[in-house]
Amino acid sequence: NHVEKGHYYEQEAADYLISCGYRILETNYRCRHAEIDLIAMDGDYLVFVEVKYRSGSSYGTAVEAVNVRKQKTIRRIAEGYLMERGLRQDSFVRFDVIAIDGTTDLNIKWIKNAF
């Protein structure tokens, strides 16, 4: 099912980030009617990570799915997370995208500071 598949690829992305030295703080952080897939620490940076998976290109690539509207939503949720946790708005924050395309041979593209 769609939700299970999404969780599978989010876990793949989390494992990938952990192997790169990240510390995962939150998975599927929800705020109102939206969520951020992963929140992690990369050194001093708090990183909000959007994970997108596409099995084919008929609806565009995974990278293309993180459009301006989605970016605004993620920023708004990140602001709420900072406020909820009592973190300063000028904290070191970054927005990354992990885009996964394909079914058998997964093509993982990690875009640091994507927006």
Side-chain angles (χ1 to χ4, degrees):
N1 106 9
H2 181 68
V3 173
E4 289 175 2
K5 191 179 285 190
H7 287 304
Y8 172 81
Y9 289 107
E10 288 165 1
Q11 186 59 54
E12 289 289 311
D15 291 344
Y16 181 75
L17 291 174
I18 290 167
S19 74
C20 294
Y22 280 47
R23 184 168 49 96
I24 304 298
L25 303 176
E26 303 264 356
T27 58
N28 303 112
Y29 174 78
R30 295 196 64 76
C31 178
R32 292 188 182 180
H33 303 292
E35 75 174 27
I36 293 179
D37 297 321
L38 302 169
I39 301 173
M41 288 301 297
D42 177 26
D44 292 333
Y45 279 85
L46 181 63
V47 185
F48 296 92
V49 183
E50 177 67 13
V51 179
K52 280 295 178 190
Y53 167 76
R54 292 289 185 263
S55 60
S57 60
S58 57
Y59 293 105
T61 67
V63 170
E64 293 170 337
V66 186
N67 56 29
V68 173
R69 182 177 178 193
K70 183 69 174 176
Q71 292 171 20
K72 286 180 183 178
T73 299
I74 293 168
R75 282 190 185 108
R76 191 174 59 250
I77 299 168
E79 288 172 2
Y81 180 87
L82 292 172
M83 203 172 353
E84 179 182 294
R85 297 296 194 271
L87 301 171
R88 295 175 34 177
Q89 294 291 333
D90 62 349
S91 298
F92 293 117
V93 172
R94 195 174 76 219
F95 297 92
D96 290 3
V97 171
I98 294 186
I100 304 172
D101 288 295
T103 52
T104 53
D105 294 328
L106 296 181
N107 177 21
I108 296 175
K109 184 173 187 176
W110 179 15
I111 305 168
K112 289 183 178 182
N113 206 25
F115 55 92

mmCIF file of all heavy atoms in Angstrom, residues 84-113:
data_model
loop_
_atom_site.group_PDB
_atom_site.id
_atom_site.type_symbol
_atom_site.label_atom_id
_atom_site.label_comp_id
_atom_site.label_asym_id
_atom_site.label_seq_id
_atom_site.Cartn_x
_atom_site.Cartn_y
_atom_site.Cartn_z
ATOM 1 N N GLU A 84 8.067 25.124 19.077
ATOM 2 C CA GLU A 84 7.629 24.103 20.036
ATOM 3 C C GLU A 84 8.785 23.610 20.908
ATOM 4 O O GLU A 84 8.612 23.337 22.092
ATOM 5 C CB GLU A 84 7.029 22.915 19.271
ATOM 6 C CG GLU A 84 6.554 21.788 20.147
ATOM 7 C CD GLU A 84 6.029 20.643 19.310
ATOM 8 O OE1 GLU A 84 4.993 20.832 18.639
ATOM 9 O OE2 GLU A 84 6.651 19.569 19.313
ATOM 10 N N ARG A 85 9.967 23.520 20.324
ATOM 11 C CA ARG A 85 11.141 23.016 21.043
ATOM 12 C C ARG A 85 11.923 24.120 21.761
ATOM 13 O O ARG A 85 12.926 23.868 22.391
ATOM 14 C CB ARG A 85 12.092 22.288 20.089
ATOM 15 C CG ARG A 85 11.522 21.047 19.425
ATOM 16 C CD ARG A 85 11.211 19.979 20.450
ATOM 17 N NE ARG A 85 10.967 18.677 19.879
ATOM 18 C CZ ARG A 85 9.792 18.214 19.474
ATOM 19 N NH1 ARG A 85 8.735 18.985 19.542
ATOM 20 N NH2 ARG A 85 9.654 16.999 18.998
ATOM 21 N N GLY A 86 11.460 25.366 21.609
ATOM 22 C CA GLY A 86 12.141 26.480 22.259
ATOM 23 C C GLY A 86 13.486 26.799 21.638
ATOM 24 O O GLY A 86 14.376 27.338 22.300
ATOM 25 N N LEU A 87 13.626 26.495 20.356
ATOM 26 C CA LEU A 87 14.872 26.780 19.644
ATOM 27 C C LEU A 87 14.785 28.148 18.989
ATOM 28 O O LEU A 87 13.712 28.598 18.588
ATOM 29 C CB LEU A 87 15.138 25.699 18.593
ATOM 30 C CG LEU A 87 15.255 24.284 19.145
ATOM 31 C CD1 LEU A 87 15.284 23.271 18.016
ATOM 32 C CD2 LEU A 87 16.495 24.155 20.011
ATOM 33 N N ARG A 88 15.907 28.773 18.860
ATOM 34 C CA ARG A 88 15.941 30.110 18.278
ATOM 35 C C ARG A 88 15.703 30.052 16.775
ATOM 36 O O ARG A 88 16.122 29.119 16.101
ATOM 37 C CB ARG A 88 17.288 30.757 18.564
ATOM 38 C CG ARG A 88 17.498 31.002 20.038
ATOM 39 C CD ARG A 88 18.855 31.515 20.353
ATOM 40 N NE ARG A 88 19.398 32.373 19.306
ATOM 41 C CZ ARG A 88 20.548 32.977 19.394
ATOM 42 N NH1 ARG A 88 21.292 32.827 20.474
ATOM 43 N NH2 ARG A 88 20.987 33.727 18.429
ATOM 44 N N GLN A 89 15.052 31.082 16.284
ATOM 45 C CA GLN A 89 14.779 31.169 14.848
ATOM 46 C C GLN A 89 16.061 31.310 14.025
ATOM 47 O O GLN A 89 16.072 31.005 12.849
ATOM 48 C CB GLN A 89 13.840 32.343 14.558
ATOM 49 C CG GLN A 89 12.461 32.168 15.128
ATOM 50 C CD GLN A 89 11.650 31.071 14.458
ATOM 51 O OE1 GLN A 89 11.863 30.757 13.294
ATOM 52 N NE2 GLN A 89 10.757 30.467 15.203
ATOM 53 N N ASP A 90 17.147 31.772 14.668
ATOM 54 C CA ASP A 90 18.401 31.924 13.926
ATOM 55 C C ASP A 90 19.334 30.723 14.141
ATOM 56 O O ASP A 90 20.521 30.804 13.887
ATOM 57 C CB ASP A 90 19.104 33.236 14.291
ATOM 58 C CG ASP A 90 19.509 33.307 15.765
ATOM 59 O OD1 ASP A 90 19.062 32.446 16.552
ATOM 60 O OD2 ASP A 90 20.263 34.229 16.111
ATOM 61 N N SER A 91 18.781 29.597 14.584
ATOM 62 C CA SER A 91 19.557 28.365 14.710
ATOM 63 C C SER A 91 20.058 27.963 13.328
ATOM 64 O O SER A 91 19.510 28.364 12.303
ATOM 65 C CB SER A 91 18.691 27.236 15.275
ATOM 66 O OG SER A 91 18.233 27.545 16.564
ATOM 67 N N PHE A 92 21.090 27.141 13.305
ATOM 68 C CA PHE A 92 21.582 26.615 12.032
ATOM 69 C C PHE A 92 20.575 25.575 11.537
ATOM 70 O O PHE A 92 20.449 24.501 12.105
ATOM 71 C CB PHE A 92 22.960 25.973 12.191
ATOM 72 C CG PHE A 92 24.053 26.938 12.533
ATOM 73 C CD1 PHE A 92 24.739 26.831 13.725
ATOM 74 C CD2 PHE A 92 24.391 27.966 11.662
ATOM 75 C CE1 PHE A 92 25.747 27.713 14.048
ATOM 76 C CE2 PHE A 92 25.399 28.855 11.975
ATOM 77 C CZ PHE A 92 26.077 28.733 13.170
ATOM 78 N N VAL A 93 19.854 25.939 10.491
ATOM 79 C CA VAL A 93 18.807 25.083 9.945
ATOM 80 C C VAL A 93 19.071 24.888 8.460
ATOM 81 O O VAL A 93 19.505 25.813 7.765
ATOM 82 C CB VAL A 93 17.412 25.725 10.158
ATOM 83 C CG1 VAL A 93 16.340 24.953 9.429
ATOM 84 C CG2 VAL A 93 17.085 25.816 11.632
ATOM 85 N N ARG A 94 18.781 23.687 7.995
ATOM 86 C CA ARG A 94 18.957 23.380 6.575
ATOM 87 C C ARG A 94 17.798 22.501 6.117
ATOM 88 O O ARG A 94 17.238 21.749 6.904
ATOM 89 C CB ARG A 94 20.293 22.645 6.389
ATOM 90 C CG ARG A 94 20.750 22.586 4.965
ATOM 91 C CD ARG A 94 22.125 21.985 4.838
ATOM 92 N NE ARG A 94 22.046 20.547 4.999
ATOM 93 C CZ ARG A 94 22.942 19.819 5.656
ATOM 94 N NH1 ARG A 94 23.975 20.374 6.243
ATOM 95 N NH2 ARG A 94 22.807 18.520 5.749
ATOM 96 N N PHE A 95 17.464 22.615 4.850
ATOM 97 C CA PHE A 95 16.407 21.804 4.254
ATOM 98 C C PHE A 95 17.021 20.939 3.158
ATOM 99 O O PHE A 95 17.547 21.458 2.177
ATOM 100 C CB PHE A 95 15.302 22.686 3.671
ATOM 101 C CG PHE A 95 14.613 23.514 4.720
ATOM 102 C CD1 PHE A 95 15.048 24.798 5.008
ATOM 103 C CD2 PHE A 95 13.551 22.995 5.434
ATOM 104 C CE1 PHE A 95 14.433 25.558 5.981
ATOM 105 C CE2 PHE A 95 12.918 23.752 6.416
ATOM 106 C CZ PHE A 95 13.360 25.033 6.690
ATOM 107 N N ASP A 96 16.972 19.628 3.355
ATOM 108 C CA ASP A 96 17.511 18.679 2.385
ATOM 109 C C ASP A 96 16.366 17.908 1.743
ATOM 110 O O ASP A 96 15.285 17.779 2.320
ATOM 111 C CB ASP A 96 18.445 17.668 3.056
ATOM 112 C CG ASP A 96 19.766 18.258 3.533
ATOM 113 O OD1 ASP A 96 19.968 19.483 3.396
ATOM 114 O OD2 ASP A 96 20.597 17.491 4.041
ATOM 115 N N VAL A 97 16.640 17.374 0.576
ATOM 116 C CA VAL A 97 15.700 16.487 -0.106
ATOM 117 C C VAL A 97 16.453 15.206 -0.451
ATOM 118 O O VAL A 97 17.571 15.262 -0.959
ATOM 119 C CB VAL A 97 15.140 17.131 -1.399
ATOM 120 C CG1 VAL A 97 14.332 16.121 -2.205
ATOM 121 C CG2 VAL A 97 14.295 18.349 -1.071
ATOM 122 N N ILE A 98 15.811 14.095 -0.149
ATOM 123 C CA ILE A 98 16.307 12.808 -0.634
ATOM 124 C C ILE A 98 15.268 12.301 -1.605
ATOM 125 O O ILE A 98 14.115 12.034 -1.228
ATOM 126 C CB ILE A 98 16.556 11.805 0.506
ATOM 127 C CG1 ILE A 98 17.701 12.306 1.374
ATOM 128 C CG2 ILE A 98 16.844 10.415 -0.069
ATOM 129 C CD1 ILE A 98 18.161 11.363 2.444
ATOM 130 N N ALA A 99 15.662 12.220 -2.869
ATOM 131 C CA ALA A 99 14.775 11.786 -3.942
ATOM 132 C C ALA A 99 15.192 10.383 -4.364
ATOM 133 O O ALA A 99 16.368 10.135 -4.623
ATOM 134 C CB ALA A 99 14.873 12.746 -5.122
ATOM 135 N N ILE A 100 14.222 9.490 -4.401
ATOM 136 C CA ILE A 100 14.491 8.104 -4.765
ATOM 137 C C ILE A 100 13.631 7.771 -5.970
ATOM 138 O O ILE A 100 12.404 7.848 -5.918
ATOM 139 C CB ILE A 100 14.171 7.147 -3.593
ATOM 140 C CG1 ILE A 100 14.950 7.554 -2.341
ATOM 141 C CG2 ILE A 100 14.479 5.705 -3.986
ATOM 142 C CD1 ILE A 100 14.564 6.804 -1.086
ATOM 143 N N ASP A 101 14.297 7.409 -7.063
ATOM 144 C CA ASP A 101 13.602 7.037 -8.293
ATOM 145 C C ASP A 101 13.937 5.590 -8.633
ATOM 146 O O ASP A 101 15.057 5.128 -8.393
ATOM 147 C CB ASP A 101 14.043 7.933 -9.462
ATOM 148 C CG ASP A 101 13.508 9.343 -9.343
ATOM 149 O OD1 ASP A 101 12.288 9.508 -9.406
ATOM 150 O OD2 ASP A 101 14.320 10.276 -9.183
ATOM 151 N N GLY A 102 12.964 4.891 -9.205
ATOM 152 C CA GLY A 102 13.201 3.529 -9.673
ATOM 153 C C GLY A 102 12.512 2.491 -8.821
ATOM 154 O O GLY A 102 11.951 2.795 -7.777
ATOM 155 N N THR A 103 12.554 1.248 -9.311
ATOM 156 C CA THR A 103 11.941 0.148 -8.565
ATOM 157 C C THR A 103 12.981 -0.893 -8.173
ATOM 158 O O THR A 103 13.101 -1.234 -7.014
ATOM 159 C CB THR A 103 10.819 -0.512 -9.381
ATOM 160 O OG1 THR A 103 11.322 -0.854 -10.673
ATOM 161 C CG2 THR A 103 9.621 0.404 -9.522
ATOM 162 N N THR A 104 13.740 -1.394 -9.120
ATOM 163 C CA THR A 104 14.735 -2.414 -8.780
ATOM 164 C C THR A 104 16.097 -1.796 -8.508
ATOM 165 O O THR A 104 16.708 -2.086 -7.489
ATOM 166 C CB THR A 104 14.853 -3.464 -9.901
ATOM 167 O OG1 THR A 104 15.097 -2.791 -11.131
ATOM 168 C CG2 THR A 104 13.588 -4.291 -9.992
ATOM 169 N N ASP A 105 16.552 -0.949 -9.380
ATOM 170 C CA ASP A 105 17.815 -0.229 -9.166
ATOM 171 C C ASP A 105 17.468 1.165 -8.665
ATOM 172 O O ASP A 105 17.152 2.045 -9.452
ATOM 173 C CB ASP A 105 18.632 -0.124 -10.468
ATOM 174 C CG ASP A 105 19.109 -1.474 -10.954
ATOM 175 O OD1 ASP A 105 19.377 -2.338 -10.101
ATOM 176 O OD2 ASP A 105 19.205 -1.667 -12.182
ATOM 177 N N LEU A 106 17.517 1.330 -7.356
ATOM 178 C CA LEU A 106 17.125 2.612 -6.782
ATOM 179 C C LEU A 106 18.186 3.667 -7.052
ATOM 180 O O LEU A 106 19.366 3.442 -6.839
ATOM 181 C CB LEU A 106 16.903 2.479 -5.279
ATOM 182 C CG LEU A 106 15.763 1.575 -4.853
ATOM 183 C CD1 LEU A 106 15.652 1.561 -3.345
ATOM 184 C CD2 LEU A 106 14.458 2.002 -5.481
ATOM 185 N N ASN A 107 17.731 4.799 -7.499
ATOM 186 C CA ASN A 107 18.595 5.944 -7.738
ATOM 187 C C ASN A 107 18.312 6.957 -6.632
ATOM 188 O O ASN A 107 17.268 7.600 -6.629
ATOM 189 C CB ASN A 107 18.311 6.538 -9.119
ATOM 190 C CG ASN A 107 19.125 7.760 -9.398
ATOM 191 O OD1 ASN A 107 20.161 7.990 -8.772
ATOM 192 N ND2 ASN A 107 18.677 8.577 -10.330
ATOM 193 N N ILE A 108 19.241 7.056 -5.670
ATOM 194 C CA ILE A 108 19.057 7.962 -4.551
ATOM 195 C C ILE A 108 19.833 9.254 -4.835
ATOM 196 O O ILE A 108 21.036 9.211 -5.079
ATOM 197 C CB ILE A 108 19.549 7.341 -3.236
ATOM 198 C CG1 ILE A 108 18.712 6.116 -2.894
ATOM 199 C CG2 ILE A 108 19.479 8.361 -2.094
ATOM 200 C CD1 ILE A 108 19.179 5.351 -1.691
ATOM 201 N N LYS A 109 19.118 10.350 -4.837
ATOM 202 C CA LYS A 109 19.744 11.645 -5.043
ATOM 203 C C LYS A 109 19.511 12.476 -3.787
ATOM 204 O O LYS A 109 18.379 12.712 -3.377
ATOM 205 C CB LYS A 109 19.122 12.347 -6.252
ATOM 206 C CG LYS A 109 19.787 13.655 -6.601
ATOM 207 C CD LYS A 109 19.247 14.220 -7.892
ATOM 208 C CE LYS A 109 20.046 15.423 -8.284
ATOM 209 N NZ LYS A 109 19.624 15.954 -9.573
ATOM 210 N N TRP A 110 20.621 12.890 -3.175
ATOM 211 C CA TRP A 110 20.561 13.662 -1.929
ATOM 212 C C TRP A 110 20.934 15.094 -2.258
ATOM 213 O O TRP A 110 22.047 15.376 -2.702
ATOM 214 C CB TRP A 110 21.510 13.051 -0.935
ATOM 215 C CG TRP A 110 21.614 13.712 0.404
ATOM 216 C CD1 TRP A 110 20.778 14.628 0.967
ATOM 217 C CD2 TRP A 110 22.638 13.491 1.353
ATOM 218 N NE1 TRP A 110 21.207 14.972 2.214
ATOM 219 C CE2 TRP A 110 22.352 14.278 2.470
ATOM 220 C CE3 TRP A 110 23.779 12.691 1.385
ATOM 221 C CZ2 TRP A 110 23.167 14.315 3.596
ATOM 222 C CZ3 TRP A 110 24.583 12.712 2.500
ATOM 223 C CH2 TRP A 110 24.277 13.520 3.600
ATOM 224 N N ILE A 111 20.019 16.004 -2.018
ATOM 225 C CA ILE A 111 20.265 17.408 -2.304
ATOM 226 C C ILE A 111 20.326 18.136 -0.971
ATOM 227 O O ILE A 111 19.320 18.344 -0.310
ATOM 228 C CB ILE A 111 19.157 18.005 -3.196
ATOM 229 C CG1 ILE A 111 19.001 17.179 -4.471
ATOM 230 C CG2 ILE A 111 19.461 19.458 -3.512
ATOM 231 C CD1 ILE A 111 17.779 17.508 -5.268
ATOM 232 N N LYS A 112 21.543 18.508 -0.584
ATOM 233 C CA LYS A 112 21.726 19.278 0.641
ATOM 234 C C LYS A 112 21.362 20.728 0.376
ATOM 235 O O LYS A 112 21.639 21.256 -0.708
ATOM 236 C CB LYS A 112 23.179 19.215 1.111
ATOM 237 C CG LYS A 112 23.599 17.891 1.662
ATOM 238 C CD LYS A 112 25.023 17.965 2.172
ATOM 239 C CE LYS A 112 25.478 16.677 2.790
ATOM 240 N NZ LYS A 112 26.834 16.783 3.328
ATOM 241 N N ASN A 113 20.753 21.379 1.364
ATOM 242 C CA ASN A 113 20.375 22.777 1.234
ATOM 243 C C ASN A 113 19.553 22.994 -0.033
ATOM 244 O O ASN A 113 19.819 23.901 -0.813
ATOM 245 C CB ASN A 113 21.627 23.670 1.270
ATOM 246 C CG ASN A 113 21.302 25.046 1.746
ATOM 247 O OD1 ASN A 113 20.337 25.272 2.452
ATOM 248 N ND2 ASN A 113 22.132 26.001 1.362
#
